[in-house]
Amino acid sequence: MATLIRNSLMKALIVIFFASVATATSDAPFIVAHKKASLTRLKSGSERVSVSIDIYNQGFSTAYDMSLLDDSWPQDMFDIVSGNTSRSWERLDAGGLLSHSFELEAKKQGMFYGAPAVITFRIPTKAALQEAYSTPILPLDVLAERPPEKKFDWAKRLLAKYGSQISVISIVVLFIYLIVTPSKSSAAKASKKKR
Amino acid sequence: MAIKILRVFFIGLLLLQFPLFQVVRCQSEIEADVEGSELGIVREDVQDFVGGNFKPAPGVETICLFPKNSAKVVPAGEKTELLVGMENVGQSPLNIIAIEASVHLPFDHRMLVQNLTAQVFDNASVPPSTQATFPYIFAVSKFLQPGTFDLVGTVVYEINQSPYQSTFYNGTIEVVEAGGFVSVESVFLVTLGISLVVLLGLWIHGQFKRISQKTKAAPKVEVGTGTTDASMDEWLQGTAYNQSSSKSKKKK
C-alpha cells in the first residue's frame, strides 16, 4: 500500500517537473528600463543634465548580475559631475525596481540625440548574457539661447494658474466679513435713538 | 448704506473678472502631433501602416507598464506616460514603426471614446534576443468624465519588410479630474457646509433657551404702585364714590 502511494507520488512529481520545464520559457525576467534626462540652467550660465534610469523587472523570475552601462554621452560634449554612467547590482527580483542617477555638465551647444542605455543580466536557464535596452530620450537642446523673460511674465503665469482660486476665496471671505460685521448706518441710528 | 457698499463691491468684482473670462471652445483635435516629428524624420510610408490591422508576429512578446502608477490613474487633459517593453525572441531584428492607442467604453468595446495620437518612430529597432523599452506619452481629452475606461494600445512593427501589429495593453484605466484640492466648487461647497452647520447650531441653541425658559417660574410683573387692598379705601369714606357704591348695593 505504501509503495503504491509512493509510486503514484513519484509519477505526479515527474509530471509536474516536465510541465514546469515546458513552461519555463515564459518564466524569464522581462526588464523594462526608463531613462529620463532633464536640463537645468544654473545661474552661472552653465547647463546641467540630470539623467535618471529606473529598471523594472516585469517578468516572473529573478535576473542576476544586472549591469547598467550608458555610453551615449560623448566625452567631448559632456563632463560627468556626479555619479557614474555605469553601475551593477547582484540581482533584481520579479516585480522589483532599481534606480540610478547621475549628473553631467554640458560643454558644447547644439541638439543632442541620446541613444538608449544598455542593461545586461543573466538568467539561470541560459548561458549567454541577456541584453535589454532602455527608452530613448527626446532630443535635448543643449545650451540653447533663451530669450530674456519679459517683465511680469512670472506674475502673468501665477495669475493664470491661481487666479480662479484666489478670486473665489476672496469673494467668500469678503461676503462673510460683510455679514458678520455690523454696518455703520445701523449703529448710528441706534445711537441717535438712545439720545 | 450697506446695500450701496454691497452693490459697489459686486460691480467692482464683475469688472475685475472681465479680462479673465474665456469663451468655452469645443476642441476636436486634442494634442498636436509634436512627438512624432521630434524624434527625427518621419518615414514616408508610415500612413500605410498606422490604422491598418495586422497580425502579431510569433517571436515577439510585449508588456505594458505604467511607471510609478500601478493604479493606472490618468488625469484628464494632462500627459500620462506608459512604457512598452518589447522582446524579440526571433532571429532577425524588428523595426518599430509606431505605437497607437484608443480609449473605449468599458462595457462596450465597439464604442470608441477617443483615438489617441500615434507616436511614430523613425529609427527604432530591436535586435534579436534582446528586450527594449519604448515610451508612449498620451493625454485624454480634458472634458472626459472621470471614471473607468478601456485603453487598447497596439504597437506596429515590421520584420523583414512585412508589417505586424501586437496589442500590448487591453485593460482598464482610471480617468480622474485634473486639478488641485482647492477649486471653485470645493471652496463654495465647504463654505456652504460650514454655514449650514453654524445655522443648525444656532437653531439648537435657540431651542435650548426656549425649553429652559418654560421650566423657570413666570417672572413677576411689576404693576406699579396700585394695590387692591380694601383697607386702603378709607380716605374715600364719605365721598361721592362711597355713597354711590352703597346706593348700588342697596338697590340690589
Side-chain angles (χ1 to χ4, degrees), chain A residues 29 31 54 132-133 139 165 171, chain B residues 9 13 38 68 81 131 133 182:
Chain A
I31 300 296
D54 294 327
Y133 288 104
Q165 291 152 344
I171 287 173
Chain B
F9 163 67
L13 215 59
E38 265 185 32
K68 307 227 160 72
E81 186 166 17
Q131 297 166 351
T133 317
V182 176

Side-chain angles (χ1 to χ4, degrees), chain B residues 90-101:
Chain B
Q91 305 298 320
S92 32
L94 62 84
N95 294 325
I96 309 280
I97 298 172
I99 296 179
E100 52 193 14

Side-chain angles (χ1 to χ4, degrees), chain B residues 64-220:
Chain B
C64 175
L65 170 68
F66 284 78
K68 307 227 160 72
N69 187 9
S70 51
K72 303 192 181 72
V73 169
V74 174
E78 286 180 8
K79 285 189 190 173
T80 317
E81 186 166 17
L82 62 81
L83 301 172
V84 182
M86 305 269 306
E87 179 165 17
N88 186 3
V89 189
Q91 305 298 320
S92 32
L94 62 84
N95 294 325
I96 309 280
I97 298 172
I99 296 179
E100 52 193 14
S102 52
V103 182
H104 301 257
L105 286 180
F107 40 84
D108 193 354
H109 242 250
R110 291 165 300 174
M111 307 285 284
L112 176 72
V113 170
Q114 187 181 357
N115 249 331
L116 301 170
T117 311
Q119 168 119 41
V120 181
F121 293 89
D122 169 53
N123 198 8
S125 70
V126 185
S129 311
T130 8
Q131 297 166 351
T133 317
F134 298 97
Y136 181 58
I137 303 176
F138 64 97
V140 294
S141 164
K142 193 168 52 163
F143 307 109
L144 194 59
Q145 268 193 335
T148 320
F149 290 92
D150 258 355
L151 178 76
V152 178
T154 58
V155 52
V156 183
Y157 50 95
E158 66 171 9
I159 302 177
N160 296 330
Q161 313 298 324
S162 15
Y164 296 94
Q165 183 179 342
S166 284
T167 305
F168 59 84
Y169 188 67
N170 189 358
T172 52
I173 53 164
E174 201 66 43
V175 175
V176 294
E177 222 177 67
F181 188 59
V182 176
S183 71
V184 179
E185 297 99 356
S186 67
V187 167
F188 275 140
L189 268 172
V190 164
T191 320
L192 183 71
I194 292 174
S195 59
L196 281 173
V197 165
V198 163
L199 273 170
L200 190 73
L202 276 170
W203 181 77
I204 290 175
H205 185 66
Q207 295 295 91
F208 265 143
K209 255 196 175 172
R210 211 156 51 97
I211 290 171
S212 59
Q213 265 181 5
K214 272 191 186 167
T215 52
K216 266 195 225 162
K220 277 192 177 174

